[in-house]
Amino acid sequence: MTFRTHLIEITTGSRETVADLTADCAAYLREVADGRDGLLNVFVPHATAGVAILETGAGSDTDLLAALHDLLPADDRWRHRHGSPGHGRDHVLPAIVPPHATLPVVGGRLALGTWQSVCLVDTNKDNRDRQVRLSFLG
């Protein structure tokens, strides 16, 4: 068994976003997995972002942001009030979209379903620069 870890930098911009990390994860596994089975952990070390496994490109990513907007509106109800209006909701997001996911790796490749992608979910418009830690155990 070996453990390898790597930090990637993602710029999400000034809009709520779902950023597809699947290609980054696959590239990392090509470097470190060497055809082995194991686990890939994807972790976002931020208090206002999460990791989701979902379909992208067919509207599900936009639907997720819309659902989060309905569930966590950007208004003045939040006690956590620094940053742009409604920023407190961003600090609640990781309780709903967790900041991590652990995924199976089989033969050095992610064992995702046909339409599944690994995504960074970021509703925080105040912080455009994100880090994602990829860790392989196998």
Side-chain angles (χ1 to χ4, degrees), residues 8-22:
I8 60 174
E9 305 283 336
I10 305 289
T11 300
T12 57
S14 59
R15 295 181 15 209
E16 298 175 353
T17 191
V18 175
D20 192 339
L21 304 173
T22 311

Side-chain angles (χ1 to χ4, degrees), residues 56-131:
T56 59
S60 297
D61 39 352
T62 303
D63 289 341
L64 173 60
L65 291 175
L68 290 171
H69 210 280
D70 289 344
L71 189 60
L72 304 170
D75 59 21
D76 64 357
R77 73 183 67 202
W78 308 102
R79 289 183 180 93
H80 189 102
R81 294 184 184 263
H82 78 276
S84 53
H87 174 64
R89 77 187 187 113
D90 301 324
H91 287 274
V92 176
L93 174 76
I96 296 166
V97 180
H100 60 88
T102 300
L103 306 164
V105 176
V106 178
R109 299 175 59 155
L110 278 175
L112 293 172
T114 302
W115 303 112
Q116 290 181 316
S117 297
V118 182
C119 298
L120 168 67
V121 180
D122 187 4
T123 59
N124 182 356
K125 297 181 268 184
D126 295 338
N127 187 354
R128 55 188 285 143
D129 298 316
R130 298 301 190 164
Q131 296 179 330

Side-chain angles (χ1 to χ4, degrees), residues 22-67:
T22 311
D24 296 296
C25 293
Y28 174 66
L29 289 172
R30 280 192 298 275
E31 289 178 24
V32 301
D34 196 30
R36 294 188 311 270
D37 295 346
L39 296 172
L40 176 69
N41 182 265
V42 182
F43 176 70
V44 181
H46 298 282
T48 58
V51 175
I53 309 301
L54 73 154
E55 178 182 11
T56 59
S60 297
D61 39 352
T62 303
D63 289 341
L64 173 60
L65 291 175

